[in-house]
Amino acid sequence: MTQPTTISQLITNPSCMDDYDPNSMPVAKARQFIKQFLSPVMETEHLSIRESLGRVLAADILSPSNVPNYDNSAMDGYAFNADDINLEKSTALKVIGTAFAGKAFDGEVKPDECVRIMTGGMMPRGTDTVIVQERVTLTGDQINFSEAPKRKMNVRYAGEDLQQGQMVLGTGHMIRAADLGLIASLGIGKVSVYRKLKVAFFSTGDELASVGEPLNTGQVYDSNRYTLYGMLSRLGVEIIDLGAIADDAELLESTLLKAAEQADVVITSGGVSVGEADYMKLLLAKHGQVVFWKIAMKPGRPLAYGKVQGSKIKAAHYFGLPGNPVAVMVTFYQFVREAMLMLMGQASPAPLPIFNVVCTENIKKQTGRTEYQRGILFTDTDGVWKVKPTGAQGSAILSSMSLANCFIVLNESIGNLEAGTIVQVQVLDGIV
Ligand code: AMP
Ligand code: MG
């Protein structure tokens, strides 16, 4: 297969790819096509550690020193030299002082001597081993023990976590809670990250009413802008909400251009399926290069991807998501999320993990398309994690997404399934 190198090749010359069918585009292939056109933001900024949470590193972080910085005790006990261990009889050592964390014992420890040491305390000169306090008997200023620890036991060595000059976090890494602490542990106060990605979005449809307005006959409240707001917020991008726009060519055009001018990415929902008043398609053809796919998936069959020219010099990536509320979320997680992470500066974002679990109910499924059914992972009476579908799986039933804690991912070859079958799930909840 010849890979298209431009979006216009995808639109105008599908024949350059043997197995390219825009009307039945497998999920994985669409994802692959999108990937090759993504150019990440380049501008960087210097932020304090806390501000960098959720941002993507624009430069490697190297360790300026060894971590830990000095040999120290991993336990409360006594530090001594392992050469003093007497294998024939009980070892007896004289306690000559104390080493606290942050307050070192300054002297030299000679043969047959030891130092009381606290966790984190610096290993005194002349010692290499720590015996925990519970293993010794203390009589006056002397300790005795018969069970000898191995040399170097209970000691944390300088550089055992990180060596000076070692790469700690690489360019493209998204900073999470542990990283904030890790960076702080190096004494580094500011980091270089890519600027926030700007994402503009709007809903399309004559039938949409906005929250706070009365609902007239034939109208539905615009919910997509709210789910999109939530999903984009979790990704840590800058959000530009351009509202719900009626199916009106002029309004749609001005909003689309405003979006492409202001943002790196434009997302719309609705108006990209067959049979729609074709305004969006015409506008996207006029102002950009956009491919329209029918993805072999459910929910989320129609999907548009490309670039929109906001001005002569400013183009934005464009994602045209379906209108149905569940389809918006599914296509976001299956296509947009990964693309956003790449645009934010992650070279190869980790895919959402997939696990195999037993499904406790029958599943209805058509072959030939990937289905993302909404599921609930739960601990069964036998203590094992299993999954069951949330119930009705219509693309408009948004309550199924609220109920769900996972997608049950059923690939193209799978048909109806009996209860007890092992299925793949993608977990929606994360702890970091
Ligand atoms: P469309 O893709 O525009 O044909 O829309 C498909 C279905 O999704 C229709 O039933 C729409 O009413 C519904 N829909 C479209 N946009 C929204 C929205 N922003 N909020 C809730 N439902 C929507
Ligand atoms: Mg519509």
Side-chain angles (χ1 to χ4, degrees):
M1 182 182 95
T2 322
Q3 278 291 330
T5 50
T6 62
I7 299 173
S8 60
Q9 257 179 331
L10 261 182
I11 303 168
T12 56
N13 189 17
S15 61
C16 72
M17 289 146 286
D18 307 336
D19 51 357
Y20 176 88
D21 178 2
N23 290 318
S24 178
M25 174 59 71
V27 174
K29 184 159 281 178
R31 213 180 263 152
Q32 203 185 319
F33 279 138
I34 293 171
K35 248 185 201 176
Q36 67 188 27
F37 301 117
L38 301 172
S39 39
V41 291
M42 296 305 290
E43 298 92 337
T44 62
E45 48 190 337
H46 227 56
L47 297 183
S48 67
I49 310 178
R50 285 186 181 140
E51 286 174 311
S52 72
L53 184 65
R55 303 290 284 271
V56 177
L57 278 179
D60 296 344
I61 294 184
L62 306 181
S63 181
S65 57
N66 284 327
V67 178
N69 206 238
Y70 50 87
D71 297 351
N72 66 87
S73 178
M75 303 294 248
D76 289 343
Y78 295 87
F80 63 98
N81 189 320
D83 290 340
D84 287 342
I85 290 172
N86 190 333
L87 286 175
E88 262 86 75
K89 48 187 182 132
S90 163
T91 303
L93 301 172
K94 185 176 176 213
V95 186
I96 59 161
T98 307
F100 296 95
K103 199 160 155 236
F105 173 79
D106 212 15
E108 169 107 27
V109 179
K110 300 195 196 69
D112 298 326
E113 291 180 346
C114 71
V115 164
R116 169 113 174 92
I117 193 163
M118 305 304 167
T119 306
M122 187 170 175
M123 292 295 285
R125 279 195 308 283
T127 67
D128 61 5
T129 305
V130 170
I131 183 160
V132 296
Q133 57 192 15
E134 291 79 7
R135 294 279 159 83
V136 308
T137 41
L138 177 69
T139 326
D141 64 352
Q142 181 157 314
I143 58 163
N144 282 275
F145 55 90
S146 43
E147 219 179 296
K150 286 204 187 89
R151 187 187 293 277
K152 299 189 173 182
M153 273 297 277
N154 303 317
V155 180
R156 304 188 285 219
Y157 281 90
E160 81 174 18
D161 186 353
L162 301 167
Q163 301 259 320
Q164 184 176 12
Q166 182 185 331
M167 168 142 53
V168 182
L169 297 168
T171 304
H173 177 83
M174 183 178 278
I175 297 181
R176 300 190 299 181
D179 304 324
L180 296 187
L182 185 61
I183 295 166
S185 78
L186 303 174
I188 295 174
K190 288 197 148 194
V191 292
S192 172
V193 296
Y194 291 110
R195 74 156 166 82
K196 272 193 177 179
L197 194 68
K198 290 186 202 137
V199 183
F201 60 89
F202 56 96
S203 301
T204 69
D206 280 336
E207 74 281 29
L208 301 181
S210 288
V211 172
E213 291 173 357
L215 197 65
N216 295 323
T217 315
Q219 286 194 313
V220 292
Y221 280 118
D222 172 12
S223 60
N224 290 345
R225 266 166 58 228
Y226 291 86
T227 31
L228 275 171
Y229 171 86
M231 294 188 294
L232 289 167
S233 297
R234 291 298 290 261
L235 274 182
V237 301
E238 197 179 310
I239 290 166
I240 306 168
D241 182 347
L242 295 175
I245 312 297
D247 292 318
D248 169 293
E250 264 175 45
L251 266 180
L252 286 171
E253 183 168 36
S254 59
T255 312
L256 181 69
L257 293 180
K258 198 186 336 171
E261 218 169 304
Q262 292 180 1
D264 303 299
V265 182
V266 177
I267 300 176
T268 61
S269 72
V272 293
S273 52
V274 179
E276 284 286 320
D278 271 341
Y279 301 128
M280 278 310 282
K281 276 186 196 162
L282 290 173
L283 287 173
L284 291 164
K286 182 172 165 195
H287 294 292
Q289 292 184 324
V290 174
V291 254
F292 291 86
W293 286 314
K294 284 186 196 144
I295 310 280
M297 72 188 278
K298 191 190 169 201
R301 192 155 152 73
L303 181 79
Y305 167 73
K307 290 218 169 131
V308 175
Q309 205 70 35
S311 65
K312 273 205 179 94
I313 49 158
K314 170 77 179 61
H317 294 273
Y318 172 77
F319 290 90
L321 307 185
N324 272 311
V326 182
V328 167
M329 296 196 80
V330 172
T331 47
F332 185 93
Y333 286 123
Q334 301 307 323
F335 299 103
V336 183
R337 177 188 167 277
E338 187 185 42
M340 292 289 186
L341 292 175
M342 290 181 79
L343 293 171
M344 288 161 77
Q346 283 197 285
S348 37
L352 292 172
I354 287 192
F355 302 99
N356 290 338
V357 293
V358 166
C359 182
T360 56
E361 291 176 20
N362 293 342
I363 287 187
K364 279 187 76 176
K365 157 77 171 60
Q366 264 182 37
T367 55
R369 66 187 187 199
T370 304
E371 289 193 14
Y372 296 88
Q373 298 204 3
R374 275 71 68 210
I376 300 170
L377 281 163
F378 66 100
T379 21
D380 209 351
T381 44
D382 57 5
V384 177
W385 281 88
K386 295 180 186 164
V387 72
K388 60 184 176 196
T390 53
Q393 294 287 326
S395 310
I397 301 176
L398 194 51
S399 58
S400 71
M401 277 301 306
S402 280
L403 275 175
N405 58 12
C406 71
F407 287 128
I408 303 173
V409 184
L410 305 161
N411 68 33
E412 294 180 25
S413 61
I414 293 173
N416 291 338
L417 296 178
E418 302 261 305
T421 311
I422 289 178
V423 293
Q424 295 194 315
V425 296
Q426 243 171 4
V427 181
L428 296 174
D429 298 330
I431 58 165
V432 284

